[in-house]
Amino acid sequence: MTSQTWFITGASRGIGLELARAALAAGHRVAATSRRHADIVAALGTHEGLLALDLDVTDSSQIAAAVAATQARFGGIDVLVNNAGYGYLGLFEESTEDDVRAQFETNVFGLFAVTRAVLPVMRAQRRGHVFNVSSVGGISGAASGSLYCSTKFAVEGFSISLADEVKGFGIHVTIVGPGYIRTDFLDARSVRFATTSVDDYAALSAELRGFFEDRSHQQAGDPVRLAEAFLQLAAEKAPPLRFSAGSDALEILDTRLASLKQERDAYADLSRSVDGSWA
């Protein structure tokens, strides 16, 4: 396998940390970033191929500095993994405007900003691979996911469009849509729940919160195996535009596809009736 330079956001724990560890073990160079680079060093130690950097994806000056430092150290960036993000789980009417903006600032606008900073490097090289970490929530919504899922739907639409824009420069884009992966995504360090309440939603809100808390650190997906899948995808000459990670992700995808097909067929005649002829 050819050695590559990886730039990974959200690399201090969870999927990002396991991916950084796996990439280093495979002989790649890794610029691993998080809000506190000391957490990365504490987890991975020092390594000739590791560059640990402070990076808040909502801070444009930190993004520019991290990309510049990676170029100075490694000479380029072959693989970008937009992994930084968090889950806001709460019913829409129990969410505030600040909740909405904060979720989009990190999960969408932060991802946009990092991608915008790295693409010129990849274009100059005429090669690169952008991985945007989405979720099963990027193809199917559910109660409590109105904010989180909407950010992931945005990431998927962005990624599909971006892939068409940069393919002429030898740059690939792959959406990775994990199912429930056994990380701290659902514990207090990561997930955020709605802090306001509406009486009509009280029972549903409590049920959903209990559902997620019961599954924290009990998820079936293995982050180590997911990291191995990233490495395999990055080695592909023709990588997929979208990769669903986990059997649960496949089941959710299949259910969504079947639902779309059922509704498509049921209303096909009405759909065609919208067509008109030019006068």
Side-chain angles (χ1 to χ4, degrees), residues 41-110:
V41 175
L44 297 177
T46 56
H47 191 291
E48 183 180 354
L50 173 65
L51 177 62
L53 297 165
D54 287 329
L55 177 56
D56 178 342
V57 298
T58 67
D59 186 328
S60 58
S61 63
Q62 283 196 342
I63 293 171
V67 171
T70 303
Q71 286 185 277
R73 173 76 171 270
F74 298 131
I77 298 172
D78 300 304
V79 182
L80 166 62
V81 182
N82 281 310
N83 171 67
Y86 70 92
Y88 176 93
L89 300 175
L91 303 173
F92 180 70
E93 283 195 83
E94 295 188 333
S95 307
T96 68
E97 185 68 16
D98 286 344
D99 294 330
V100 175
R101 294 187 181 278
Q103 179 78 131
F104 271 80
E105 283 292 342
T106 296
N107 290 12
V108 179
F109 301 132

Side-chain angles (χ1 to χ4, degrees), residues 176-188:
V176 175
Y180 287 96
I181 304 296
R182 197 163 53 254
T183 67
D184 58 10
F185 179 81
L186 290 176
D187 74 23

Side-chain angles (χ1 to χ4, degrees), residues 125-143:
Q125 299 168 166
R126 289 300 193 264
R127 70 178 188 279
H129 197 162
V130 178
F131 286 96
N132 289 331
V133 178
S134 178
S135 164
V136 290
I139 56 171
S140 184

